[in-house]
Amino acid sequence: PVVEWLAPQAGERILDLGCGDGALTQKLAALGCVVVGVDASAEQIAAARARGLDARVVDGAELSFAGEFDAVFSNAALHWMKRADAVIASVHRALRPGGRFVGEMGGAGNVGKICAALVAMLDRRGLDGRAAVPWYFPTLEEYAAKLTTGGFAVERIELIPRPTELPGDIGGWLETFAESFLNRLAPADRSAAIAEVAAALAPQLRDNHGKWIADYVRLRFRAVK
Ligand code: BEZ
């Protein structure tokens, strides 16, 4: 749906902000768009370049582009960028007048149960769990206000609960995404911590068939410069 909100046209210059390994960037390129992908992770950018994409390691809050894109697109990345005002200012600068910023990210309540269990796990060990949270999950009102303050006209914005079945168990998800919590612990203590968080979450997120359903909430928006 977020690509439908983007409505990419062949020949448009599009910046994919937080492009990861470039899977979606490549789809935009295949539609005839001239796409640049940026991501803070050198490893992800190497994977995107291996697909033949123009991909660069850049911090989303410090884009150096000025007035050169018809659209900035972002999927499942903005919630990793905690300096939201700086990111919005940076995107605004990168767009031509009339250009659009279209994105989907985690919104208020996203992975709320998972996050609470991780915070509690660290707190039980005498550490500051909240300080380890690496994500920014704004409410619709908060993000709309930030976009408006940043010079955008918000055309559409929605908060959408989207419980999502995980491909494996929660342990794999935690190993992939909860590094900022787990790296507070000695390596030898991490698997016990994962098992503890999984045990706390099982009654809340595992269904009758043993499938894990993550409590995702999406915030989707389309705004114009
Ligand atoms: C997501 O909402 O896409 C997400 C949130 C936190 C970690 C990983 C993914």
Side-chain angles (χ1 to χ4, degrees):
V2 70
V3 177
E4 281 168 28
W5 283 32
L6 176 66
Q9 307 296 312
E12 284 191 313
R13 284 186 57 80
I14 298 184
L15 178 68
D16 186 352
L17 174 58
C19 66
D21 69 1
L24 210 41
T25 325
Q26 194 164 38
K27 291 195 172 140
L28 297 176
L31 293 172
C33 301
V34 181
V35 195
V36 178
V38 292
D39 202 285
S41 157
E43 200 183 331
Q44 297 287 335
I45 287 300
R49 283 197 183 143
R51 296 175 187 268
L53 295 166
D54 177 352
R56 312 172 194 180
V57 181
V58 183
D59 182 330
E62 284 160 26
L63 301 172
S64 57
F65 308 105
E68 42 193 295
F69 290 98
D70 298 301
V72 175
F73 171 74
S74 186
N75 183 49
L78 289 166
H79 51 253
W80 293 100
M81 304 177 205
K82 289 178 100 174
R83 294 161 62 202
D85 294 311
V87 170
I88 289 168
S90 198
V91 168
H92 192 269
R93 211 163 35 243
L95 285 167
R96 64 159 172 82
R100 59 205 190 277
F101 181 23
V102 180
E104 185 172 308
M105 65 191 289
N110 192 45
V111 296
K113 294 184 172 116
I114 299 174
C115 193
L118 285 161
V119 168
M121 177 276 291
L122 287 182
D123 287 350
R124 275 194 298 277
R125 288 161 169 77
L127 301 166
D128 183 352
R130 284 243 65 88
V133 176
W135 306 305
Y136 169 60
F137 298 134
T139 63
L140 182 157
E141 292 78 11
E142 181 182 343
Y143 207 69
K146 282 194 185 301
L147 287 167
T148 304
T149 303
F152 286 98
V154 180
E155 288 190 345
R156 293 179 78 178
I157 185 162
E158 287 175 9
L159 190 74
I160 310 134
R162 191 199 290 154
T164 301
E165 184 182 326
L166 298 180
D169 78 357
I170 193 77
W173 191 98
L174 295 169
E175 275 166 26
T176 307
F177 296 119
E179 192 191 347
S180 108
F181 298 90
L182 296 170
N183 70 14
R184 297 320 206 241
L185 306 174
D189 297 335
R190 290 179 193 163
S191 54
I194 289 173
E196 195 179 302
V197 172
L201 289 172
Q204 306 175 69
L205 298 182
R206 205 164 52 181
D207 73 10
N208 294 338
H209 308 287
K211 293 201 168 110
W212 285 89
I213 316 287
D215 51 343
Y216 282 1
V217 179
R218 306 287 88 182
L219 181 64
R220 194 180 299 149
F221 63 87
R222 178 183 157 103
V224 175
K225 174 173 175 179

